[in-house]
Amino acid sequence: MRRANLDSSPVPEIVLEAGRGSTHYWRDLWRYRELAGFLAWRDIKVRYKQAALGVAWAILQPAIQTILLTFVFGKLARMPDGGLPYALIVLSGLLPWQLFTAAFSGAGHSLVGNSHLISKVYFPRLLVPISCLAVALVDFGVILALALPVIFIFGGAPGWQLLLLPLFVLLALVIAFGAGLWITALTVKFRDFRFITPFILQIGVFVTPVGFRTDFLPNWRDLIALNPLAGVVDGVRWCLLGGRTELYLPGLGISVVVAAILLGSGIGYFRRTERQFADII
Amino acid sequence: MSHPAIEVSGLAKRYVIEHEARHDNLRDTLHHAARKLWRRARWGTGFDTEEFWALRDVSFTVQPGEVVGVIGRNGAGKSTLLKVLSRITEPTAGRVTLRGRIASLLEVGTGFHPDLTGRENIFLNGAILGMRSTEIRRKFDEIVAFAEVERFIDTPVKRYSSGMYVRLAFAVAAHLEPEVLIVDEVLAVGDAQFQKKCLGKMREVSTQQGRTVLFVSHQMSAIAQLCSRAILLSAGRVAHIGPTQAVLQTMMASPPLTHRSSDALDRPRITDIAVSQTALESGNLQISVSFESPHVLTRPHVGIVLTTQFGALVGGTNTHVDPCRNSHPAASGLLRLHLAHPPLLPGQYRINVWFGDGDGSTEHREAAMEFYFPGLRTRPPEFRTETVGPLDMAFNWEQLPLIR
């Protein structure tokens, strides 16, 4: 009676052997899925409990960044706007960039940040970076909900392109997850990898078309497209601004290919090093 | 259910200690790798690495519904064994088969967040320990009642007293419903009354609900009460396995933990420390310290301090203060301390041992040995060393009329 809610298999059997790893890893990952939710919930809850301004941070940061980047790229550098309000170009680029930043830096720091759990309890370690993606997604949802009315009021009605937004969000998360898995697994062994994350993000905000649109830069376009996030940012901008910017398909192709490589290799490396985490963290 | 719930065969766990710092950053690692290559090219050797076998050739089985205690001194491999069985770390060799849903409790309150309320932490901690949220919700009231924190359930746990914190943490763990429960030293926290409650809960879990429990504790009384069988680990190996009483006796009679003193072979050193079991049984204390030295010592010195199992000082002496009556120069030998009928309550005691060659070189072993002293007379069970102190003196009451 007590076991009614347990697994259907009568007596689950686990065999532990050297080098064998966990045979039921993916099944375990599924079984522990609620834990990823709880970890994400914890991170969100704690953040807002500790912050005096609460949700205001979620608005303040992108708002100030939009103003700053609009000033730098729109006013100082006088990048072409193609007739759109420049702040909207920036805002629509910042949204996916913020999502990537939060997901990537969260996942990258996740294992070391939860080392007390890793050394005391078993669960598939992949859940830790996954929970960071959930946190980033929630943040993104909040900002998006606030930004959408602004975009529609000043940028015009949305088109069918908006329906494709989830695909680009997914792409951003996959890239962040793949890269974050590498960083977080490497950080367990070499703590200085955590300094790489802010470095990548600092450079990234300029080499990714966050503050400018690429469709007016034909000479640079292919070079920019080598950055897998360029395709994501361009794509989200295309969705949000109802197709008033151009979607560069070769760039998007690169994004998808790089995302797949990062995800595959990231999971591979993570799984290979995972069994040592508790010994060296 | 004829299959054992836990089946361990030939289990080993090795840690490699590299004698050249730890590499927490990439620069050091690269630097180290370069030096290693250079050394190898030049001398044909890398840096010294030392292998440390935390577990070696450990085999045992635990039948479903059995409660088995794991005992051993510090560093005997108990925690490593539990970590391997809990799947936190991987074995180096051997095989473990676990049958049934497993939960392990290596620490009380793993994942508790100080800023979250009691309620929130119950859910978080429950999920970390492997409970489903429906299961937590179903047990929520029971957990809160067990922890006795109803009034503070919506207060952040950072405002809790340490007692409340521990009670709440244990309460969550106590309501896990696995078929196999692996528990590390978690009863040592909390006050005496709560410890009693925890022990009761553990007993209920094992005897009434038929769970398999593997239980590590330093409290021999808890092991004796709860476990039918015990495993004694010593230096990573199974030293004795059998009925609890027999294993406990082996443990008390067994030699002290062997400190790794490979670097000290050229110096005078302690080779063995022993507490006589026969002396203990008749209420006496007899502690022997064996030593060895590369040269003759004119006056070997030993100091011994007796403490309770919680480290509270009880008393001590050394061969300066109470000189050895037949001290003579020797390169090896044994110094034995006799103490007839020490006025102590029954309980676990430890000794700290110092050894000196008289020229300033000393060896010190903290908690070198733990033993159970049976006491001189029967005292009520609440008269324990934690509550009234270790001394059982010749107390003498008298009632007199008031003189007006």
Side-chain angles (χ1 to χ4, degrees):
Chain A
M1 152 212 101
R2 203 180 61 246
R3 284 162 198 169
N5 63 334
L6 298 183
D7 303 85
S8 46
S9 51
V11 181
E13 185 178 299
I14 299 163
V15 177
L16 310 174
E17 269 180 318
R20 179 161 159 164
S22 181
T23 33
H24 310 300
Y25 194 80
W26 300 104
R27 207 183 69 192
D28 275 357
L29 195 67
W30 177 246
R31 185 185 299 164
Y32 277 87
R33 64 192 181 279
E34 278 189 349
L35 181 56
F38 272 112
L39 291 176
W41 168 80
R42 172 197 68 180
D43 288 346
I44 293 166
K45 201 124 195 176
V46 167
R47 183 144 43 97
Y48 286 114
K49 274 191 185 187
Q50 288 169 337
L53 288 179
V55 192
W57 282 118
I59 309 163
L60 221 58
Q61 210 192 347
I64 290 173
Q65 260 183 311
T66 305
I67 294 167
L68 213 65
L69 288 177
T70 305
F71 181 70
V72 171
F73 287 105
K75 291 280 179 287
L76 292 185
R78 293 183 190 285
M79 301 288 276
D81 57 15
L84 287 163
Y86 207 88
L88 285 194
I89 293 173
V90 173
L91 183 59
S92 58
L94 258 178
L95 287 169
W97 176 252
Q98 289 265 334
L99 171 67
F100 172 77
T101 303
F104 174 57
S105 59
H109 184 67
S110 59
L111 286 178
V112 170
N114 286 289
S115 57
H116 58 291
L117 290 186
I118 306 250
S119 57
K120 292 290 179 195
V121 216
Y122 166 80
F123 53 85
R125 308 307 188 198
L126 262 177
L127 286 172
V128 181
I130 287 175
S131 78
C132 296
L133 298 188
V135 173
L137 198 59
V138 169
D139 281 353
F140 176 73
V142 171
I143 308 174
L144 185 69
L146 293 166
L148 275 182
V150 177
I151 290 171
F152 297 154
I153 291 167
F154 296 100
W160 56 270
Q161 291 89 346
L162 193 62
L163 297 175
L164 293 177
L165 185 65
L167 291 182
F168 289 103
V169 169
L170 182 70
L171 190 57
L173 287 179
V174 168
I175 296 171
F177 187 53
L181 285 180
W182 273 103
I183 296 290
T184 198
L186 284 165
T187 311
V188 171
K189 207 163 188 181
F190 309 111
R191 287 294 145 90
D192 44 1
F193 268 90
R194 78 191 131 165
F195 302 123
I196 286 184
T197 314
F199 180 66
I200 291 175
L201 292 178
Q202 252 167 21
I203 295 177
V205 74
F206 292 105
V207 301
T208 309
V210 174
F212 54 91
R213 49 193 293 190
T214 52
D215 38 0
F216 291 125
L217 304 168
N219 298 336
W220 296 97
R221 202 169 203 187
D222 288 311
L223 189 64
I224 291 171
L226 289 177
N227 168 9
L229 279 173
V232 175
V233 169
D234 267 355
V236 171
R237 185 173 283 138
W238 174 75
C239 293
L240 290 178
L241 298 181
R244 271 166 293 242
T245 57
E246 197 189 320
L247 184 64
Y248 188 51
L249 287 175
L252 187 60
I254 291 176
S255 292
V256 172
V257 170
V258 173
I261 294 172
L262 272 176
L263 184 69
S265 65
I267 291 178
Y269 182 71
F270 190 94
R271 292 281 289 119
R272 229 180 13 259
T273 50
E274 182 177 16
R275 60 178 79 132
Q276 305 167 11
F277 286 166
D279 291 340
I280 56 180
I281 203 163
Chain B
M1 290 293 259
S2 57
H3 291 296
I6 304 175
E7 214 176 335
V8 176
S9 63
L11 188 68
K13 174 74 187 177
R14 178 187 58 200
Y15 290 100
V16 177
I17 306 155
E18 196 156 349
H19 285 300
E20 258 293 305
R22 251 201 71 157
H23 310 296
D24 264 354
N25 61 54
L26 188 60
R27 197 198 66 187
D28 280 1
T29 306
L30 292 176
H31 181 207
H32 182 77
R35 282 179 61 200
K36 203 168 179 172
L37 268 179
W38 168 246
R39 281 174 72 111
R40 198 156 278 158
R42 185 84 193 271
W43 293 293
T45 59
F47 287 107
D48 291 344
T49 53
E50 192 181 337
E51 287 185 347
F52 171 63
W53 290 86
L55 289 176
R56 238 178 167 167
D57 200 23
V58 171
S59 305
F60 61 89
T61 53
V62 178
Q63 298 301 327
E66 216 181 353
V67 183
V68 174
V70 179
I71 56 176
R73 295 169 209 293
N74 291 335
K78 303 184 298 286
S79 297
T80 308
L81 175 64
L82 293 204
K83 275 195 172 180
V84 172
L85 294 182
S86 313
R87 306 165 74 190
I88 292 166
T89 181
E90 206 185 35
T92 308
R95 184 186 165 93
V96 177
T97 311
L98 301 162
R99 295 189 181 88
R101 198 170 86 133
I102 294 153
S104 65
L105 185 59
L106 300 196
E107 181 190 62
V108 154
T110 305
F112 260 45
H113 198 290
D115 285 314
L116 296 181
T117 66
R119 182 188 303 278
E120 291 160 347
N121 269 308
I122 289 176
F123 278 92
L124 180 63
N125 189 234
I128 287 170
L129 293 175
M131 284 160 103
R132 301 262 164 84
S133 58
T134 46
E135 203 179 334
I136 305 171
R137 214 162 286 135
R138 191 155 45 82
K139 302 241 177 89
F140 187 83
D141 293 334
E142 225 179 301
I143 291 173
V144 175
F146 187 86
E148 304 162 30
V149 292
E150 291 92 340
R151 282 171 50 213
F152 306 101
I153 195 63
D154 290 310
T155 307
V157 297
K158 65 181 172 192
R159 310 220 189 286
Y160 278 29
S161 72
S162 57
M164 284 160 62
Y165 185 95
V166 166
R167 285 208 300 275
L168 182 65
F170 186 84
V172 181
H175 290 82
L176 281 169
E177 288 189 341
E179 278 122 19
V180 181
L181 183 63
I182 296 170
V183 188
D184 202 348
E185 182 76 274
V186 289
L187 298 175
V189 291
D191 54 30
Q193 201 196 339
F194 188 70
Q195 283 194 20
K196 214 174 187 176
K197 197 166 170 181
C198 295
L199 273 178
K201 185 74 189 173
M202 295 272 295
R203 199 172 302 129
E204 181 196 318
V205 161
S206 53
T207 57
Q208 288 169 24
Q209 303 172 3
R211 313 273 171 72
T212 312
V213 183
L214 198 66
F215 175 47
V216 162
S217 180
H218 282 104
Q219 273 168 281
M220 298 306 146
S221 55
I223 295 269
Q225 280 180 49
L226 282 176
C227 309
S228 52
R229 277 203 310 150
I231 299 167
L232 171 64
L233 286 181
S234 170
R237 293 172 189 271
V238 175
H240 192 181
I241 180 164
T244 307
Q245 280 310 323
V247 176
L248 286 179
Q249 268 166 23
T250 317
M251 162 128 179
M252 284 159 197
S254 68
L257 70 163
T258 41
H259 287 249
R260 289 185 301 146
S261 51
S262 52
D263 57 328
L265 279 169
D266 56 336
R267 285 192 295 143
R269 64 201 173 91
I270 302 173
T271 53
D272 191 30
I273 300 171
V275 177
S276 162
Q277 193 61 28
T278 37
L280 283 175
E281 279 163 14
S282 49
N284 295 312
L285 201 52
Q286 194 188 90
I287 302 167
S288 306
V289 178
S290 313
F291 62 90
E292 236 175 63
S293 162
H295 53 268
V296 172
L297 303 174
T298 46
R299 243 185 120 78
H301 283 295
V302 168
I304 289 174
V305 168
L306 188 64
T307 72
T308 65
Q309 62 173 326
F310 308 107
L313 297 175
V314 176
T317 183
N318 62 41
T319 47
H320 288 286
V321 178
D322 296 311
C324 178
R325 58 185 142 87
N326 61 345
S327 180
H328 54 267
S332 66
L334 186 154
L335 279 162
R336 181 170 286 165
L337 173 70
H338 296 270
L339 186 55
H341 302 300
L344 298 174
L345 280 174
Q348 291 292 126
Y349 292 90
R350 290 180 180 172
I351 47 173
N352 300 337
V353 179
W354 281 263
F355 173 69
D357 60 1
D359 300 322
S361 161
T362 57
E363 190 180 342
H364 172 211
R365 292 191 186 178
E366 195 83 32
M369 183 95 208
E370 185 170 315
F371 58 89
Y372 179 81
F373 185 75
L376 301 177
R377 51 178 174 162
T378 316
R379 302 293 270 170
E382 61 270 25
F383 272 61
R384 279 167 308 149
T385 55
E386 313 86 284
T387 47
V388 296
L391 295 183
D392 182 11
M393 293 169 280
F395 302 103
N396 212 338
W397 292 95
E398 184 184 16
Q399 185 171 3
L400 297 169
L402 281 177
I403 302 157
R404 294 183 195 269

